[in-house]
Amino acid sequence: MKFSGMTIGVPKEIMPGENRVSSTPETVKKMVDEGATVYVQKGAGKGAFFSDDEYKASGAILVDGEEPVFEKADVILKVKEPLFNKEANKHESDMLRDGQYLITFLHPAAPVNREAMKKLRDTGCISLTLDGIPRISRAQSMDALTSMSTVAGYKGVLMAANTLSKFMPMVGTAVGVIQPAKVVVIGTGVAGLQAVATAKRLGAVVTAIDIRPDAAEQARSLGAKSVDTGVPPEVAIGEGGYAQRLPEEWLKKEIEAIKPVVKDADIIILTALIPGKQAPVLITEEMVKSMAPGSVIIDIAIDQGGNCALTKPGEEIVVDGVTISGVKNIPGMMPTSSTWMFANNIYNLLAYLSKDGKIVLDRNDPIVASSLTTINKEIVHAGAKEAGL
């Protein structure tokens, strides 16, 4: 059997506000049926409305506390990167051991995770980051980043609408017509397109910006206006059709092209990412200060450093009357739907990597090569190394 003899650990997530869990009772049952022993921390699924009784019925062994889960398991499945556990008075990285596997979102290229990555490296654990899964056809079922981006694009617009001091749609009243809000979505990949669609459903006037012609066209097909950044396709498009890091002169031209649109925006949704690398800064402090008081910026790209120069990871701040949200776990605000997708993604990756109860890493396989982060007490992730690690 695929997982015969493998021990798998599912701890409760400890990031504040994080209600997701890495496995559902459904995916635990699949792992158990394939020969695994699965240890689940009591209460791990509570935030996503999966009870301990459901996990027990699926064949899981319930464990008190996080540390015993790490001690018992060969493979740890998590949602977020290792953090300091206040209850245990111990960092999750210190619970890992040499040769143990960790599969989770690590965002190793993000500057805010630099020290955490060094700490993880020193444990000797073998870690794979889910944001490194390439968007190729055979990896679609493992692509948790796409799944979570769908949630983040949808929920990000709802967050912005909740903060905005205006109506989103056009509203006719006895004293006149209130014009619809102007929403600008920068980056129209999965999250951006979901944001465009959601903002349109709420009645906003939507403008979409993406340096890739095909991505811009997809946004227009959803009813958004678009802005020509002037960046030629051969400069904008990288491997697999994804955006690539622009040379400094072209980045400056893109920023100049979007300045007028930013100034007039009521809401800006930022989702521009470069796979496996630090997100480009597209909104400068000057641009933020050009916006009207009461405007809102939701920086969905914050896990990879953010698209706005002023965004603070994990915080919501106000600068000259403009609210800037750097909330890092937007999908965690919709835990039932996001957990269902995430748990199936991580199960499919583990199943892909496993053979006869062992994880087998073929480093020539693009799925492994782009997601493998630490091994043999080295950081091997290309984006992390490019970021100076």
Side-chain angles (χ1 to χ4, degrees):
M1 292 189 289
K2 187 173 287 291
F3 301 126
S4 181
M6 186 182 289
T7 55
I8 299 168
V10 180
K12 179 178 170 59
E13 297 297 319
I14 58 173
M15 176 180 280
E18 179 56 80
N19 291 312
R20 290 173 293 176
V21 61
S22 61
S23 300
T24 62
E26 178 188 3
T27 59
V28 166
K29 186 177 188 307
K30 289 197 284 187
M31 291 185 284
V32 170
D33 287 348
E34 285 287 337
T37 300
V38 182
Y39 296 97
V40 176
Q41 183 180 350
K42 289 181 180 178
K46 183 179 179 181
F49 305 99
F50 297 109
S51 70
D52 287 347
D53 286 343
E54 289 176 286
Y55 283 107
K56 189 174 181 179
S58 73
I61 299 172
L62 296 175
V63 178
D64 283 311
E66 183 176 26
E67 217 166 344
V69 176
F70 278 72
E71 288 172 359
K72 293 173 182 294
D74 301 318
V75 183
I76 298 294
L77 305 181
K78 273 180 55 59
V79 178
K80 300 300 290 185
E81 68 272 13
L83 299 167
F84 185 80
N85 187 320
K86 292 180 181 178
E87 284 188 19
N89 196 32
K90 196 172 187 179
H91 200 285
E92 287 178 315
S93 286
D94 293 330
M95 300 180 194
L96 291 161
R97 62 180 180 270
D98 196 359
Q100 190 175 30
Y101 283 87
L102 170 68
I103 305 176
T104 186
F105 274 122
L106 290 168
H107 303 288
V112 72
N113 291 335
R114 192 160 292 175
E115 292 307 312
M117 287 306 306
K118 292 177 183 177
K119 190 173 182 67
L120 187 63
R121 171 199 64 195
D122 295 342
T123 68
C125 85
I126 302 164
S127 64
L128 295 101
T129 184
L130 292 163
D131 56 294
I133 299 296
R135 284 175 175 167
I136 56 178
S137 57
R138 63 191 177 91
Q140 283 182 343
S141 67
M142 314 166 202
D143 189 356
L145 187 61
T146 289
S147 296
M148 298 305 98
S149 293
T150 300
V151 181
Y154 171 80
K155 186 65 173 179
V157 172
L158 299 185
M159 290 165 57
N162 194 49
T163 303
L164 189 67
S165 59
K166 304 177 180 180
F167 284 115
M168 287 284 276
M170 178 184 290
V171 176
T173 76
V175 291
V177 174
I178 299 174
Q179 294 302 312
K182 296 176 181 176
V183 175
V184 175
V185 178
I186 300 181
T188 53
V190 175
L193 289 174
Q194 187 63 237
V196 167
T198 303
K200 286 296 292 182
R201 290 187 202 109
L202 292 175
V205 173
V206 183
T207 300
I209 299 169
D210 199 296
I211 56 176
R212 300 163 297 167
D214 286 351
E217 175 57 35
Q218 285 178 310
R220 285 194 294 272
S221 73
L222 293 173
K225 301 175 184 177
S226 64
V227 173
D228 183 4
T229 61
V231 179
E234 62 270 19
V235 175
I237 302 170
E239 186 178 350
Y242 300 107
Q244 63 181 358
R245 186 169 299 283
L246 295 180
E248 192 62 30
E249 63 270 24
W250 284 110
L251 181 60
K252 288 179 179 176
K253 287 179 181 179
E254 180 185 6
I255 289 171
E256 287 300 316
I258 67 179
K259 272 184 179 179
V261 185
V262 167
K263 182 179 180 180
D264 290 339
D266 296 305
I267 290 173
I268 299 177
I269 307 292
L270 298 172
T271 76
L273 296 174
I274 300 164
K277 299 181 181 179
Q278 190 172 340
V281 175
L282 301 172
I283 305 295
T284 64
E285 180 176 355
E286 173 196 357
M287 292 162 77
V288 171
K289 291 182 175 179
S290 75
M291 297 174 68
S295 303
V296 183
I297 296 173
I298 306 292
D299 199 342
I300 291 173
I302 192 59
D303 276 330
Q304 286 179 229
N307 294 144
C308 177
L310 300 182
T311 309
K312 291 190 177 182
E315 296 183 33
E316 183 177 282
I317 62 172
V318 179
V319 178
D320 284 7
V322 178
T323 299
I324 306 171
S325 174
V327 172
K328 290 189 69 178
N329 57 340
I330 293 175
M333 296 176 174
M334 293 185 60
T336 303
S337 291
S338 56
T339 287
W340 184 82
M341 289 190 285
F342 183 93
N344 280 286
N345 292 143
I346 204 169
Y347 167 81
N348 288 330
L349 175 61
L350 182 61
Y352 177 80
L353 297 174
S354 299
K355 184 176 181 181
D356 298 328
K358 301 288 183 184
I359 291 180
V360 179
L361 298 179
D362 176 4
R363 294 179 66 172
N364 293 316
D365 182 334
I367 295 173
V368 175
S370 61
S371 61
L372 185 62
T373 307
T374 61
I375 190 170
N376 299 325
K377 293 194 173 183
E378 292 182 21
I379 295 172
V380 297
H381 185 271
K385 292 167 75 173
E386 186 178 301
L389 285 168

